[in-house]
Every structure is written in C-alpha cells, then in structure tokens.
C-alpha cells in the first residue's frame, strides 16, 4: 500500500511515541489473562508495541511499510516484524495467545476484512484473545468523501474506510468468539487541539 509507505517517509513518526489508550487497556487485559505472546498486525513503527514489551509480553509484528519497520528499529524496537500485507497472513505457523490490531481493519474492504478476521482467529491458541480497534460511525469522518458501499467511504484520496456498527460487528465477528464490544475515544496525543476519534474495541475469545 504505497500510501502508507509514502506517509511514513514523509511524516516519519507521525503519531508520536505514546501508546494509544486502547493499547494500554489491552495490555492490562492481557496481563490479567496471563497472555504472554502476541501478534500485532499493522504494527507501524511500534508505538503500541512498547507498552506490551515493557510488561514482559513477547511481541511479533506485521507491517506493510518498510520505512515504518526501519523507524521502529531506529527507535530501539527489536522484536520480530514480518514485512508484508496482512492479506498475506499467516507469515508463520505459530499460534499466539493474544492478537492486537489497532486501527487497521477499517482500512480493508469486506472480503479483506473477512479473511483478516479468519486468519487472526486461526493463529490463536485455544482460549486466546484477539482485540481489534476500529473507527466507529460516531467518528467525525463518517459519511465524508465518496461512498463506495454501505458504510464504506473513500474519505480522502487513497484512504478507504469502513465504519462498523453493532450489526456489522455481530455479522463479521460473531462466528469468531465475539465476547464484547466497547466504545472508546482515542485522544490525539500529538496534537492536543485535534478532536478525539471515536473507536470501537472488539474483543473475541477462541474457545
């Protein structure tokens, strides 16, 4: 996805290094459930990886942008990162006890989302958890730009976004051990004057 490659080249560490609130919450949840080995698809330059690593959780990443991986390395993040698209999962035959994917799934179309959810589920150990965060329909960009499909918009050139609601979450995650969905607002930690973005956090457990 050359959009991300050029964004990382141009803007470098564009979201700063503070982990997102959802990563902090997920880390607490994983610690509580004794999750010790996680996969993070769409790891970017690793700003969310650090919170897990600092708490003794092993992290493996997947990232489409080579520049983002180089930035992670420059910033001392040394865990394994597969360079490639989440559409090419699985990259290894390992099963993980946790998967965390922040703000990635809404960038995929219906077919890609279905494959991504299934591939993540297939890489979970029994009793493992997978947590996805996705932009909700309350987000300021919902309905902006060109509509491509139901709840799916090209909000600006090169960025297509799907906006979930509770129905589409049940539909897409229902058969993959959906446990709960919660709403959360992610503040923009780099630019304090920017509005927060409304996210949904989707939690699934593999029985």
């Amino acid at each position: 996805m050359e959009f991300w490659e050029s964004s990382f080249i141009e803007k470098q560490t564009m979201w700063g290094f503070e982990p997102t609130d959802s990563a902090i919450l997920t880390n607490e949840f994983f610690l509580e459930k004794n999750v010790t080995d996680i996969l993070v698809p769409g790891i970017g330059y690793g700003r969310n990886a650090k919170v897990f690593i600092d708490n003794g959780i092993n992290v493996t990443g997947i990232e489409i942008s080579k520049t983002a991986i180089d930035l992670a390395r420059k910033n001392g993040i040394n865990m394994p990162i597969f360079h490639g698209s989440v559409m090419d999962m699985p990259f290894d035959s390992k099963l993980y006890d946790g998967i965390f994917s922040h703000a990635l799934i809404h960038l995929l179309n219906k077919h890609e989302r279905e494959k991504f959810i299934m591939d993540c589920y297939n890489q979970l150990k029994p009793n493992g958890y997978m947590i996805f965060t996705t932009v909700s329909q309350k987000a300021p960009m919902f309905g902006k730009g060109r509509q491509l499909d139901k709840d799916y918009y090209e909000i600006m050139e090169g960025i297509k976004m799907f906006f979930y609601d509770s129905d589409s979450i049940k539909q897409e995650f229902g058969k993959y051990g959906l446990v709960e969905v919660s709403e959360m607002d992610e503040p923009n930690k780099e630019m304090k004057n920017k509005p927060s973005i409304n996210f949904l956090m989707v939690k699934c457990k593999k029985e």
Side-chain angles (χ1 to χ4, degrees):
M1 198 169 175
E2 63 279 11
F3 175 85
W4 290 109
E5 185 55 20
S6 52
S7 295
F8 283 117
I9 289 170
E10 183 196 344
K11 302 190 184 110
Q12 300 283 303
T13 51
M14 52 190 149
W15 295 292
F17 271 97
E18 269 191 77
T20 57
D21 288 358
S22 51
I24 294 166
L25 281 173
T26 300
N27 173 62
E28 287 165 7
F29 175 76
F30 281 169
L31 291 174
E32 190 187 301
K33 299 290 180 192
N34 297 315
V35 167
T36 55
D37 197 8
I38 69 168
L39 179 66
V40 180
I43 198 159
Y45 52 79
R47 71 168 173 154
N48 286 326
K50 220 174 147 347
V51 65
F52 299 111
I53 294 167
D54 290 348
N55 284 281
I57 294 174
N58 288 325
V59 178
T60 300
I62 299 170
E63 176 51 48
I64 198 165
S65 162
K66 183 75 178 73
T67 304
I69 296 173
D70 294 343
L71 288 168
R73 298 288 178 244
K74 259 188 229 150
N75 288 289
I77 290 169
N78 299 318
M79 80 266 164
I81 301 176
F82 294 107
H83 177 220
S85 163
V86 297
M87 288 297 98
D88 298 327
M89 286 173 68
F91 286 89
D92 59 7
S93 54
K94 194 172 150 181
L95 298 182
Y96 295 86
D97 47 14
I99 292 176
F100 174 61
S101 181
H102 174 65
L104 183 150
I105 195 164
H106 55 243
L107 301 169
L108 306 175
N109 67 32
K110 189 168 175 24
H111 163 73
E112 292 168 337
R113 291 193 308 274
E114 283 168 3
K115 180 182 185 302
F116 180 47
I117 296 166
M118 186 176 75
D119 288 342
C120 286
Y121 191 77
N122 289 341
Q123 279 205 264
L124 274 184
K125 287 180 183 164
N127 299 316
Y129 289 89
M130 57 182 188
I131 293 179
F132 300 86
T133 62
T134 179
V135 170
S136 96
Q137 294 188 2
K138 292 182 179 171
M141 57 284 230
F142 176 56
K144 301 266 166 37
R146 189 165 66 92
Q147 184 159 9
L148 304 166
D149 203 346
K150 185 182 185 314
D151 302 330
Y152 188 48
Y153 294 85
E154 182 161 22
I155 57 165
M156 52 174 147
E157 184 138 355
I159 293 258
K160 296 173 180 155
M161 264 195 199
F162 178 75
F163 297 85
Y164 279 97
D165 60 11
S166 51
D167 286 347
S168 50
I169 281 179
K170 278 192 201 99
Q171 216 173 347
E172 296 191 7
F173 293 92
K175 56 177 181 284
Y176 296 106
L178 180 62
V179 186
E180 68 168 331
V181 184
S182 46
E183 292 190 21
M184 61 176 311
D185 292 343
E186 280 288 0
N188 186 322
K189 294 187 175 183
E190 275 300 274
M191 290 171 270
K192 305 285 189 229
N193 55 346
K194 283 258 182 100
S196 330
I197 293 180
N198 317 77
F199 273 84
L200 293 168
M201 195 168 192
V202 181
K203 196 178 281 178
C204 299
K205 183 182 184 183
K206 187 169 190 172
E207 293 304 338

